[in-house]
Amino acid sequence: MAAVEKFLQFQQDAIPCKIRAKRGCATHPRSIAERMRRTRISERMRKLQELFPNMDKQTNTADMLDLAVEYIKDLQKKVKMLTDIQAKCKCSSKQNQSSNPTV
């Protein structure tokens, strides 16, 4: 009888065992927050894929970001080149604008 009482007392003092959640159904707040964070990142990566040409859906995140950075740098070079060409341009329309300012 003493052994049974000791066993029952042990069960009351023990930390209750959590029931395991089904796969994909996390119950811990940190797990839920992490899933939400991953979902937001995935959505933004899909939006980024749509902005850049020649970006496959199978491209991993690191490669996708590398391609995006390279593409943006290329666009910046093109903008600088076009700005330099425009600054050197001696077009008649540019001369007309500078000689006839509109108020």
Side-chain angles (χ1 to χ4, degrees):
M1 189 74 148
V4 173
E5 288 177 4
K6 189 175 181 181
F7 178 72
L8 290 174
Q9 181 64 31
F10 175 75
Q11 281 187 333
Q12 290 174 356
D13 294 340
I15 299 172
C17 179
K18 290 186 178 179
I19 298 172
R20 187 167 169 89
K22 293 180 192 175
R23 185 173 183 94
C25 298
T27 56
H28 195 279
R30 286 185 185 160
S31 298
I32 294 169
E34 178 63 19
R35 185 183 327 128
M36 290 173 57
R37 186 187 71 81
R38 285 192 312 265
T39 302
R40 283 194 315 267
I41 289 171
S42 295
E43 289 171 357
R44 291 177 182 154
M45 293 305 290
R46 270 187 245 113
K47 288 179 183 178
L48 187 64
Q49 276 179 331
E50 293 171 5
L51 292 175
F52 296 100
N54 303 324
M55 194 172 289
D56 298 330
K57 294 192 179 202
Q58 275 71 34
T59 306
N60 67 35
T61 303
D63 290 342
M64 192 183 312
L65 292 173
D66 285 340
L67 289 169
V69 168
E70 301 248 342
Y71 186 70
I72 290 170
K73 285 181 179 179
D74 185 50
L75 289 176
Q76 287 174 333
K77 285 180 187 177
K78 288 179 182 178
V79 166
K80 182 169 178 13
M81 182 183 68
L82 290 172
T83 304
D84 291 345
I85 290 172
Q86 185 180 17
K88 294 176 185 176
C89 178
K90 297 179 181 176
C91 302
S92 59
S93 62
K94 187 175 178 183
Q95 290 174 352
N96 290 339
Q97 288 177 357
S98 61
S99 62
N100 297 329
T102 53
V103 178

